[in-house]
């Protein structure tokens, strides 16, 4: 697409959205237009559409979406309009300052993001809410769960080439084994230091060594010794090391079937992974659980909310 056509397209999209928001019968007539425009563009394109919308009409698109839409459909459309780091920042803030602390959200985001993603989240969090992310974590969580989250929120995990060391993996496996034999404060600190700081490839090697030497899966060992949110966080890191797409497929299935279609979790995962690994997540979901993600959304969601999720989930309709 030429630059001229590219810009024309965004002017057109902005015009379509303005017609939708100005429509007297908005609740019935043009929500489909909003879905079509915002789900068929990339996040970068949506940012340009938002800027074009503001330039053409002197209005903020996110504000109009918040005013004109409602409930879960609004959450999806507004969420699509945030850059990824800002979207994560809003989710983390809601998890700590909403109605009670949503530990599952804190675990999901902080266990799965890369250092660069964590850095961007921290910047957005401070700019948006005027406080450091770690300050809120410190005030809203406690114990070793808080300490592990604080480590993850620093974005200090070893990344890139040069960290893989088989000898170190054997040492880490021994340290992990010893830490899984007794639930003490010192052992918890050892676990969080290894799992929150070592690179994913190094951890994968340590888990393999752990299984080979001690004849037990690291996830099983953690489950046998620890409990609560600290245990859930450690297991989430283990699952992410083994494959983030598998982790998110599992989270989606649990949100749909274990938590009665937990809307915020489903929306968060589908938006945050839509341009990263949602295609792989859908494939693993279908292979692991029988039904496609498309099938389960279609079965349990409704209205324009369902249509929006299905539009994000497009590509596996034929599999349901």
């Amino acid at each position: 697409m030429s630059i001229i056509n590219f810009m024309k397209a965004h002017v057109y999209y902005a015009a379509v959205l303005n017609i939708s928001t100005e429509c007297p019968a908005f609740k019935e007539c043009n929500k489909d237009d909003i879905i079509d425009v915002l789900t068929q563009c990339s996040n970068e394109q949506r940012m340009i559409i938002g800027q074009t919308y503001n330039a053409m009409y002197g209005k903020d698109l996110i504000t109009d979406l918040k005013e004109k839409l409602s409930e879960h459909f609004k959450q999806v459309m507004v969420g699509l309009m945030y850059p990824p780091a800002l979207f994560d920042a809003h989710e983390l803030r809601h998890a700590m300052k909403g109605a009670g602390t949503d530990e599952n959200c804190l675990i999901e985001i902080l266990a799965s993001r890369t250092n660069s993603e964590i850095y961007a989240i921290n910047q957005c969090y401070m700019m948006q809410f005027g406080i450091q992310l770690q300050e809120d974590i410190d005030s809203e969580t406690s114990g070793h769960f808080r300490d592990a989250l604080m480590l993850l929120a620093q974005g200090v995990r070893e990344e890139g080439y040069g960290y893989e060391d088989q000898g170190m993996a054997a040492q880490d496996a021994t340290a992990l084994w010893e830490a899984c034999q007794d639930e003490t404060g010192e052992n918890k600190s050892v676990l969080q230091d290894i799992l929150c700081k070592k690179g994913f490839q190094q951890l994968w090697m340590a888990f393999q060594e752990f299984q080979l030497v001690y004849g037990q899966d690291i996830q099983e060992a953690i489950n046998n010794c620890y409990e609560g949110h600290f245990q859930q966080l450690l297991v989430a890191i283990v699952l992410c090391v083994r494959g983030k797409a598998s982790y998110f497929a599992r989270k989606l299935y649990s949100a749909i079937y274990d938590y009665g279609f937990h809307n915020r979790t489903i929306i968060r995962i589908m938006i945050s992974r839509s341009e990263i690994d949602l295609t792989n997540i859908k494939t693993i979901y279908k292979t692991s659980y029988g039904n496609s993600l498309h099938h389960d959304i279609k079965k349990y969601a409704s209205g324009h909310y369902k249509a929006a999720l299905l539009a994000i989930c497009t590509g596996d309709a034929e599999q349901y």
Side-chain angles (χ1 to χ4, degrees):
M1 180 183 293
S2 69
I3 295 296
I4 294 176
N5 287 337
F6 179 79
M7 295 308 298
K8 284 182 177 178
H10 290 91
V11 169
Y12 168 75
Y13 290 147
V16 168
L17 291 171
N18 187 60
I19 291 169
S20 296
T21 56
E22 293 299 327
C23 177
F26 179 75
K27 291 185 178 180
E28 291 77 31
C29 68
N30 275 323
K31 291 180 182 179
D32 290 337
D33 289 343
I34 295 174
I35 294 171
D36 288 344
V37 170
L38 297 186
T39 62
Q40 291 179 15
C41 296
S42 67
N43 185 265
E44 183 179 4
Q45 290 172 320
R46 289 192 291 270
M47 298 306 100
I48 298 173
I49 291 169
Q51 295 167 7
T52 306
Y53 185 93
N54 180 265
M56 290 174 66
Y57 306 114
K59 298 184 296 182
D60 179 65
L61 179 54
I62 291 178
T63 300
D64 280 353
L65 291 171
K66 286 180 177 179
E67 290 178 356
K68 298 294 185 176
L69 305 180
S70 62
E71 299 179 338
H72 304 309
F73 179 51
K74 175 173 69 175
Q75 284 181 250
V76 177
M77 294 297 102
V78 171
L80 288 171
M81 287 304 303
Y82 289 130
L86 183 57
F87 178 71
D88 279 347
H90 275 277
E91 289 297 293
L92 289 167
R93 179 72 172 183
H94 182 271
M96 291 184 281
K97 297 299 182 179
T101 302
D102 183 355
E103 290 86 0
N104 286 328
C105 174
L106 300 178
I107 291 169
E108 175 200 307
I109 292 177
L110 293 176
S112 65
R113 301 314 193 246
T114 64
N115 286 347
S116 61
E117 289 169 338
I118 293 291
Y119 296 155
I121 291 169
N122 276 307
Q123 288 182 323
C124 288
Y125 202 95
M126 182 63 189
M127 290 178 62
Q128 191 73 17
F129 307 114
I131 189 171
Q132 297 286 350
L133 171 60
Q134 290 181 64
E135 291 184 58
D136 274 348
I137 291 173
D138 186 49
S139 66
E140 300 298 327
T141 60
S142 62
H144 283 275
F145 176 59
R146 174 197 60 208
D147 297 341
L149 289 176
M150 295 280 277
L151 273 178
L152 292 172
Q154 292 174 31
V156 294
R157 188 178 299 284
E158 297 169 349
E159 291 182 345
Y161 296 104
Y163 292 107
E164 295 81 6
D165 184 324
Q166 190 62 50
M168 181 59 68
Q171 293 180 38
D172 288 341
T174 300
L176 288 169
W177 172 258
E178 293 174 353
C180 287
Q181 302 314 297
D182 188 21
E183 187 180 350
T184 66
E186 182 179 355
N187 284 336
K188 286 181 176 179
S189 296
V190 169
L191 276 171
Q192 70 190 31
D193 277 352
I194 293 175
L195 294 180
C196 297
K197 293 181 179 180
K198 294 297 178 77
F200 274 18
Q201 181 61 28
Q202 184 67 31
L203 287 174
W204 185 86
M205 293 165 59
F207 298 163
Q208 294 295 103
E209 189 74 16
F210 189 98
Q211 177 78 50
L212 179 65
V213 174
Y214 301 106
Q216 189 177 27
D217 181 76
I218 182 64
Q219 182 180 342
E220 180 184 353
I222 291 171
N223 286 335
N224 287 343
C225 188
Y226 297 93
E227 60 184 13
H229 299 306
F230 181 67
Q231 171 260 333
Q232 292 168 22
L233 175 57
L234 299 183
V235 168
I237 294 171
V238 170
L239 293 174
C240 285
V241 167
R242 289 175 168 167
K244 289 184 183 181
S246 294
Y247 170 69
F248 285 112
R250 180 173 179 167
K251 289 284 294 183
L252 282 169
Y253 184 82
S254 179
I256 292 171
Y257 285 98
D258 296 337
Y259 293 96
F261 212 86
H262 193 274
N263 295 286
R264 194 164 195 108
T265 299
I266 293 165
I267 293 168
R268 180 173 61 249
I269 293 174
M270 293 192 65
I271 290 178
S272 66
R273 309 311 293 186
S274 61
E275 295 181 41
I276 301 175
D277 55 3
L278 185 57
T279 298
N280 291 338
I281 291 168
K282 291 186 297 181
T283 299
I284 293 169
Y285 189 100
K286 169 69 174 176
T287 302
S288 300
Y289 306 114
N291 293 333
S292 69
L293 182 57
H294 184 285
H295 170 278
D296 286 346
I297 290 172
K298 191 172 184 179
K299 181 178 180 181
Y300 292 106
S302 61
H304 285 92
Y305 172 48
K306 175 177 72 175
L309 291 180
L310 291 178
I312 296 171
C313 190
T314 185
D316 69 342
E318 71 281 358
Q319 298 177 23
Y320 72 89

